[in-house]
């Protein structure tokens, strides 16, 4: 992949990717998919360093995270490796890293150092708990932060132990926040001409993602409790049994409640005093769920979904992952994208979840091999073939 075959709204930007694990690669993927020239920097193979990657390089997770990038190897523990990075920085717009806070300073690749040679650099740091403060040096992992950010305490069934979500929500969420911060800084740079240091952390991202549950405490003094599949404030909303499985039903407001009762053939519930308002339905939630279940068990999931669609009642199936991608709306939206990989042949990755009418995202290339583009990138910097060979022999690249 070269600059000539990249297209997209971000194609004018060059991004240096020093990230590993999940949160950082998630942030950089947002830039790569929209056309940025992303150079992923990894340790030379000869050093036998994993760079903190999780799982098999040819595995689905790695391939999904690192598409649309170029890869070079660079030994940042070697002063000459750092000098090469500094030369890359001179022509870069963005650098993204998720080292522990002290590591980048020891390596000499921190923001204060690198911005001297490129004052326009947008330097993004993703950490577990922030760049300073009492927990700054702690290792940050998704499940730890799900617990500390309040999510696990509100997930699961009432009276049961705390429960993590089925995805790495803290990692993914903070990756998206980091990408938003980077793009905000790039927009501001168009006015000021100056870059800046973008900082975020798993803990900040996780707290922000709890959103209205956090606001319930901050503004109302309410400590949210786990509600299982029930919505904490809108009733009835949750999972209901059918003749052949379960479906989700969601009601918000009195009109939707009326439509639900009529759709299931239970208009008499509308006259019951204990269900006369959302507040009362929430107070009497368990009894109401039991009564509704007597009706929903009478038909299959597909029958209820058709009936509720006709009645404009919010509902939906509960899919396994294979069923998600078999759904005709998912296929219409194009949420699975095919790529060619030199070893794996045709693979499918998850598409971007938003579109632009004139400048769509592009899936150009599968995840590169480690150091696949080292020679090309170094030649762009002016290194000769002989110099690159010497750098390889000394394990600088």
């Amino acid at each position: 992949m070269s600059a000539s075959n990249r297209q997209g709204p971000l194609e004018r930007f060059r991004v240096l990717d020093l990230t590993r694990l999940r949160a950082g690669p998630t942030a950089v993927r947002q830039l790569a998919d929209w056309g940025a020239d992303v150079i992923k920097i990894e340790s030379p193979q000869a050093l036998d360093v994993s760079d903190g990657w999780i799982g098999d390089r040819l595995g689905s997770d790695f391939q999904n995270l690192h598409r649309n990038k170029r890869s070079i190897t660079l030994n940042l523990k070697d002063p000459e490796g750092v000098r090469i990075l500094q030369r890359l920085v001179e022509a870069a717009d963005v650098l993204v890293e998720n080292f522990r806070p002290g590591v980048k300073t020891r390596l000499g690749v921190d923001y204060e150092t690198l911005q001297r040679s490129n004052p326009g650099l947008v330097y993004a740091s993703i950490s577990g708990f922030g760049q300073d403060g009492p927990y700054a040096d702690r290792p940050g992992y998704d499940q730890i932060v799900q617990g500390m950010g309040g999510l696990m305490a509100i997930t699961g069934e009432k009276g049961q132990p705390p429960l993590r979500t089925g995805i790495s929500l803290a990692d993914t969420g903070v990756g998206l926040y980091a990408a938003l911060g980077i793009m905000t800084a790039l927009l501001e740079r168009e006015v000021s001409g100056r870059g800046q240091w973008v900082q975020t952390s798993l803990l900040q991202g996780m707290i922000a993602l709890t959103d209205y549950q956090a606001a319930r405490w901050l503004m109302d003094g309410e400590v949210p409790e786990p509600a299982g599949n029930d919505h904490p404030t809108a009733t009835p909303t949750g999972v209901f049994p059918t003749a052949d499985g379960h479906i989700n039903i969601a009601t918000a407001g009195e009109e939707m409640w009326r439509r639900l009762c009529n759709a299931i053939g239970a208009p008499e519930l509308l006259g019951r005093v204990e269900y006369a308002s959302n507040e009362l339905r929430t107070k009497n939630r368990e009894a109401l769920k039991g009564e509704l279940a007597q009706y929903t068990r009478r038909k299959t999931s597909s029958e209820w979904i058709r009936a509720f669609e006709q009645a404009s009642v919010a509902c939906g199936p509960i899919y396994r992952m294979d069923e998600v991608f078999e759904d005709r709306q998912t296929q219409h939206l194009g949420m699975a994208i095919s790529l060619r990989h030199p070893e794996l042949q045709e693979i499918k990755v998850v598409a971007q979840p938003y579109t632009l009418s004139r400048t769509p995202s592009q899936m150009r290339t599968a995840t590169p091999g480690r150091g696949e583009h080292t020679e090309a990138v170094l030649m762009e910097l002016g290194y000769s073939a002989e110099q690159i060979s010497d750098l390889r022999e000394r394990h600088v690249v």
Side-chain angles (χ1 to χ4, degrees):
M1 179 179 65
S2 65
S4 63
N5 66 5
R6 281 185 301 102
Q7 293 182 334
L10 303 182
E11 65 182 89
R12 67 189 183 278
F13 297 115
R14 171 168 283 189
V15 179
L16 304 180
D17 179 7
L18 293 175
T19 68
R20 65 271 334 274
L21 298 174
R22 183 176 308 283
T26 297
V28 177
R29 178 176 60 189
Q30 292 304 109
L31 310 177
D33 285 0
W34 296 94
D37 179 17
V38 174
I39 300 175
K40 185 159 75 75
I41 297 170
E42 305 183 65
S43 297
Q45 187 77 45
L47 299 183
D48 194 27
V49 176
S50 72
D51 284 327
W53 305 127
I54 295 177
D56 180 7
R57 189 181 186 95
L58 296 178
S60 57
D61 191 16
F62 196 92
Q63 293 296 314
N64 193 51
L65 278 172
H66 296 285
R67 73 269 185 124
N68 286 339
K69 301 179 184 181
R70 297 196 283 172
S71 172
I72 71 169
T73 52
L74 205 56
N75 183 2
L76 295 180
K77 293 183 179 179
D78 186 302
E80 192 158 359
V82 173
R83 284 195 292 273
I84 293 172
L85 177 65
Q86 289 171 336
R87 290 186 62 179
L88 285 167
V89 165
E90 291 172 5
D93 299 283
V94 177
L95 184 148
V96 190
E97 60 84 21
N98 59 350
F99 297 121
R100 287 201 212 178
V103 172
K104 53 185 166 285
T105 303
R106 291 199 302 271
L107 294 174
V109 298
D110 55 286
Y111 172 67
E112 290 298 329
T113 300
L114 296 181
Q115 64 87 30
R116 292 176 195 144
S117 58
N118 182 357
L121 180 68
V122 173
Y123 186 111
S125 294
I126 304 171
S127 61
F129 300 97
Q131 296 299 307
D132 46 35
Y135 302 159
D137 291 328
R138 288 188 184 181
Y141 288 91
D142 182 272
Q143 182 157 341
I144 304 301
V145 174
Q146 283 195 31
M148 294 180 68
L151 182 63
M152 290 178 66
I154 56 174
T155 304
E157 296 291 340
K158 187 175 182 179
Q160 296 299 309
L163 190 68
R164 68 177 292 276
T165 62
I167 60 170
S168 298
L169 189 60
D171 282 332
T172 301
V174 76
L176 296 176
Y177 283 131
L180 179 59
I182 290 165
M183 288 192 248
T184 302
L186 287 171
L187 284 170
E188 192 280 336
R189 191 181 71 170
E190 294 181 0
V191 177
S192 68
R194 299 167 57 197
Q196 55 187 306
W197 189 6
V198 177
Q199 302 176 40
T200 188
S201 68
L202 269 67
L203 183 58
Q204 288 168 282
M206 186 71 267
I207 294 171
L209 285 169
T210 61
D211 198 32
Y212 66 90
Q213 294 283 42
R216 288 176 66 190
W217 162 248
L218 291 174
M219 294 188 64
D220 305 328
E222 296 180 16
V223 178
E225 298 290 339
N229 289 318
D230 297 323
H231 191 279
T233 58
T235 306
T237 296
V239 175
F240 292 86
T242 66
D244 62 351
H246 295 82
I247 59 171
N248 274 315
I249 300 173
T251 61
E254 298 309 310
E255 179 57 35
M256 184 78 78
W257 163 241
R258 284 192 289 272
R259 292 202 294 265
L260 171 64
C261 291
N262 289 324
I264 64 173
E268 67 276 7
L269 294 178
L270 296 171
R272 298 271 289 276
V273 174
E274 63 269 35
Y275 304 145
S277 67
N278 183 70
E279 184 178 2
L280 288 169
R281 292 193 294 273
T282 300
K283 180 180 178 181
N284 299 292
R285 171 181 283 155
E286 294 305 316
L288 176 57
K289 285 170 56 182
E291 292 200 55
L292 291 176
Q294 295 179 33
Y295 290 90
T296 59
R297 285 193 178 97
R298 296 174 183 175
K299 294 181 181 180
T300 65
S301 296
S302 60
E303 288 173 329
W304 278 125
I305 289 169
R306 286 194 297 271
F308 289 146
E309 284 181 348
Q310 292 173 359
S312 294
V313 174
C315 68
I318 300 173
Y319 285 151
R320 293 172 60 89
M321 196 57 68
D322 57 336
E323 296 170 312
V324 171
F325 287 93
E326 290 171 358
D327 185 273
R328 55 181 180 156
Q329 186 67 27
T330 301
Q331 293 178 356
H332 172 77
L333 294 170
M335 286 305 297
I337 301 290
S338 294
L339 285 171
R340 293 293 298 178
H341 188 278
E343 296 180 63
L344 300 171
Q345 304 307 314
E346 182 178 352
I347 62 173
K348 289 186 177 180
V349 295
V350 182
Q352 282 289 335
Y354 62 95
T355 61
L356 302 182
S357 61
R358 290 187 298 101
T359 54
S361 63
Q362 290 187 336
M363 295 299 157
R364 302 177 301 275
T365 58
T367 294
R370 187 196 295 223
E372 180 178 333
H373 304 95
T374 300
E375 184 171 334
V377 171
L378 290 181
M379 284 186 169
E380 290 172 10
L381 292 176
Y383 286 86
S384 67
E386 292 76 15
Q387 289 173 313
I388 296 170
S389 178
D390 176 62
L391 291 170
R392 288 192 187 281
E393 288 180 10
R394 294 187 286 119
H395 304 319
V396 177
V397 299

